[in-house]
Amino acid sequence: MSSKRSFRINSWKDKDVEYHWDSAADIYVKENERVKDTHAQRFRETIPLLRLKEGSRILNITSRDCEANDFILKANPHVSIENAEISQGLINVAARLRPEAKQTKISSYSELPYEDSCFDRILSLETLEHVSEPINFLKELYRVSTPEALLVLSCPPLTSEIPYQIYTCLFGGHGEGPHRFLPSPEVKEMFKETGWKLIYHKGTVLLPVGPKILREWSEKLIIKFQDTWLSELGIRQIYVCEKN
């Protein structure tokens, strides 16, 4: 695959990401419970986009506490799920909460321990912004997926950096560790570079905290103004791709 442009390699290593999530593992679930509705929105929005079929093989990367495992099996109990996580601390948390979930410890996002073409669906939530080499990560997802695979991916856009910093100052939380929030145009260029064809994009979660009635109203607003500057303000950008 020829390179059309140069993409940034981040200054941190995947090992640094592993250290962060290991250090946050003990508070991960508790902190997410404080913003449970917004946290779980990622599952409510993305699982239906997987278009699960009986017998589908799914890679959930990265899996954190394996909460996505619950939503996937609720949507279709006749699938097999591989949960991949870089943090052993979070794997331990998931093992306590969901001992039935199949988990694999990965050591790098750029070299996944799977054979070629072994997954029908790939779910990757809030991970791309953390990996040290995003292009290599997307190439690996391409390699391990079948020709008919779907990739469902979410990540915060660049515009989320200031809201994230404000929230962290006011309320703390588990932190994000090494990260670079990516503008949607750059994510789309990365898909092109790595062979993924974008078939769906949606900006969501305009107001992540506050009264429910305001959050619901803001969500109606952002849905109305997709593909505008307003949708780029949503803290969770959702993409669906198929292979070229």
Side-chain angles (χ1 to χ4, degrees), residues 123-184:
L123 181 67
S124 183
L125 306 181
E126 270 77 345
T127 298
L128 184 65
E129 69 274 22
H130 294 290
V131 308
S132 62
E133 298 177 321
I135 291 295
N136 287 347
F137 175 58
L138 291 174
K139 285 180 178 177
E140 276 295 88
L141 298 185
Y142 190 95
R143 179 185 67 78
V144 303
S145 58
T146 62
E148 298 77 24
L150 286 178
L151 165 65
V152 177
L153 182 149
S154 71
C155 59
L158 177 61
T159 53
S160 291
E161 185 62 39
I162 292 176
Y164 159 68
Q165 295 294 345
I166 293 173
Y167 179 88
T168 301
C169 286
L170 293 176
F171 304 108
H174 55 59
E176 290 294 321
H179 72 276
R180 182 171 70 90
F181 293 156
L182 299 160
S184 294

Side-chain angles (χ1 to χ4, degrees), residues 52-177:
L52 296 172
K53 299 177 182 177
E54 186 171 333
S56 290
R57 296 162 296 174
I58 302 157
L59 173 62
N60 175 30
I61 181 168
T62 49
S63 50
R64 308 297 188 226
D65 62 347
C66 288
E67 188 173 2
N69 205 82
D70 299 346
F71 284 80
I72 292 171
L73 291 178
K74 185 177 180 181
N76 191 329
H78 306 293
V79 299
S80 61
I81 309 168
E82 173 78 14
N83 295 286
E85 173 54 51
I86 201 165
S87 162
Q88 185 61 52
L90 282 171
I91 287 176
N92 295 342
V93 170
R96 288 196 298 271
L97 296 173
R98 299 173 177 88
E100 75 286 356
K102 181 184 178 185
Q103 300 188 81
T104 295
K105 169 77 171 67
I106 61 172
S107 56
S108 167
Y109 296 109
S110 299
E111 191 172 347
L112 301 179
Y114 304 111
E115 297 178 354
D116 295 353
S117 305
C118 59
F119 295 106
D120 305 301
R121 300 288 186 269
I122 295 179
L123 181 67
S124 183
L125 306 181
E126 270 77 345
T127 298
L128 184 65
E129 69 274 22
H130 294 290
V131 308
S132 62
E133 298 177 321
I135 291 295
N136 287 347
F137 175 58
L138 291 174
K139 285 180 178 177
E140 276 295 88
L141 298 185
Y142 190 95
R143 179 185 67 78
V144 303
S145 58
T146 62
E148 298 77 24
L150 286 178
L151 165 65
V152 177
L153 182 149
S154 71
C155 59
L158 177 61
T159 53
S160 291
E161 185 62 39
I162 292 176
Y164 159 68
Q165 295 294 345
I166 293 173
Y167 179 88
T168 301
C169 286
L170 293 176
F171 304 108
H174 55 59
E176 290 294 321

